């Protein structure tokens, strides 16, 4: 398979971290996230837009009890400017990383440090919950239709972390990587990522990908050290709250 582009990554994100529902609303795709995070709740552009169609998207999101949230993808500068003019703030700029799966899979994973497991064990759910990954995001994992697994990390005779990985079109994507605080800086994240790549290679995947916020410097340094390179970016625009409005 050719190297995936950022457009491919958008589709891989959608397939490996899917919304509860999605539907067309004029030139928009409206997603219902049911608490699963911005990626499964943001509207995206699928055609020509104007002020009236932006308002239509806003009403559609309000109708399902979600804030007005749009994902701005590569080449959507006009939409970005239009939303800024309507009082939308940039939130969570994201970087997408990619690497050939073989390069990661061929690196060291010491015995008994990682375990691919599906369904996740109760102790893994506890680790995720400690990092703010609760039942709503576990429900996202359950919705994935393609090949998927969870990776449990183990260090010092204890569960050290966990991650979720799924495959779409021969590209695996890692999600929900969490390491328990007292086990950090002991290579648990490294071994879980390499283990995810080994699992993905066994499933026939050619590439390994993930997305991370630009602000997460330690994670970005880790992914770069493993040979992952940036394939593109996206960000969100969220309607700014009026002064005095409750959260």
């Amino acid at each position: 398979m050719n190297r995936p582009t950022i457009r491919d990554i958008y589709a891989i994100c959608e397939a490996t971290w899917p919304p509860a529902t999605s539907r067309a609303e004029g030139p928009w795709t409206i997603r219902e996230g049911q608490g699963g995070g911005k990626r499964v709740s943001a509207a995206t552009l699928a055609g020509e837009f104007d002020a009236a169609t932006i308002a239509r998207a806003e009403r559609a999101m309000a109708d399902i009890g979600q804030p007005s949230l749009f994902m701005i993808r590569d080449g959507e500068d006009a939409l970005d400017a239009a939303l800024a003019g309507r009082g939308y703030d940039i939130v969570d700029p994201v970087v997408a990383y990619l690497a050939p799966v073989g390069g990661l899979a061929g690196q060291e994973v010491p015995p008994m440090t990682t375990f691919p497991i599906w369904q996740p064990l109760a102790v893994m759910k506890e680790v995720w919950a400690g990092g703010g990954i609760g039942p709503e995001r576990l429900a996202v994992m359950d919705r994935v239709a393609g090949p998927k697994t969870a990776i449990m990390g183990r260090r010092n005779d204890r569960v050290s972390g966990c991650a979720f990985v799924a495959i779409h079109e021969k590209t695996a994507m890692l999600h929900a990587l969490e390491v328990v605080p007292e086990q950090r800086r002991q290579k648990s994240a490294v071994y879980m990522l390499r283990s995810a790549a080994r699992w993905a290679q066994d499933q026939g995947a050619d590439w390994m990908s993930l997305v991370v916020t630009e602000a997460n410097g330690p994670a970005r340094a880790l992914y770069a050290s493993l040979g992952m390179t940036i394939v593109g970016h996206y960000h969100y625009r969220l309607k700014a709250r009026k002064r005095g409005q409750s959260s």
Side-chain angles (χ1 to χ4, degrees):
M1 177 183 177
N2 293 333
R3 186 177 191 269
T5 67
I6 187 59
R7 290 286 173 182
D8 296 322
I9 294 296
Y10 301 145
I12 293 159
C13 274
E14 185 88 356
T16 62
W17 197 257
T21 66
S22 64
R23 63 183 175 87
E25 182 70 38
W28 309 100
T29 299
I30 303 295
R31 295 172 180 81
E32 182 180 9
Q34 295 183 358
K38 292 183 181 68
R39 265 178 284 169
V40 292
S41 305
T44 51
L45 186 62
E48 299 296 323
F49 76 93
D50 55 22
T53 57
I54 291 176
R56 181 176 177 179
E58 292 170 338
R59 289 192 298 271
M61 287 183 274
D63 286 345
I64 56 175
Q66 293 184 176
S68 295
L69 177 71
F70 293 83
M71 179 188 287
I72 310 300
R73 301 168 299 184
D74 186 51
E76 295 177 342
D77 297 343
L79 174 60
D80 199 32
L83 291 173
R86 293 173 71 92
Y88 280 75
D89 293 332
I90 291 178
V91 291
D92 289 347
V94 169
V95 185
Y97 282 86
L98 184 72
V101 75
L104 289 166
Q107 297 176 25
E108 178 193 20
V109 180
M112 305 299 289
T113 58
T114 61
F115 303 87
I117 298 171
W118 191 260
Q119 296 274 342
L121 303 176
V123 68
M124 298 169 69
K125 295 178 182 179
E126 291 174 6
V127 169
W128 270 320
I133 301 165
E136 296 84 1
R137 284 173 168 81
L138 296 178
V140 176
M141 301 177 196
D142 284 336
R143 288 197 290 267
V144 175
K148 62 185 177 183
T149 195
I151 306 294
M152 184 179 76
R154 188 168 178 83
R155 298 286 286 172
N156 305 314
D157 294 323
R158 296 178 57 194
V159 173
S160 60
C162 47
F164 175 75
V165 60
I167 297 173
H168 177 69
E169 297 291 338
K170 291 206 167 188
T171 298
M173 180 164 277
L174 190 81
H175 301 272
L177 176 63
E178 184 67 28
V179 179
V180 299
E182 59 270 26
Q183 299 273 31
R184 291 173 184 167
R185 299 181 182 87
Q186 298 184 52
K187 301 192 75 172
S188 284
V190 171
Y191 295 145
M192 284 191 287
L193 205 158
R194 291 174 180 172
S195 179
R198 289 186 176 188
W199 172 85
Q201 187 176 55
D202 289 343
Q203 303 298 313
D206 295 325
W207 297 91
M208 191 78 197
S209 64
L210 54 84
V211 295
V212 62
T213 58
E214 284 186 3
N216 194 340
R220 294 185 61 188
L222 169 64
Y223 303 143
S225 74
L226 293 172
M228 304 191 81
T229 58
I230 295 172
V231 66
H233 306 76
Y234 64 86
H235 63 270
Y236 300 96
R237 285 275 184 181
L238 178 67
K239 187 76 168 182
R241 292 185 180 276
K242 295 178 181 179
R243 183 171 297 178
Q245 185 176 355
S246 61
S247 58

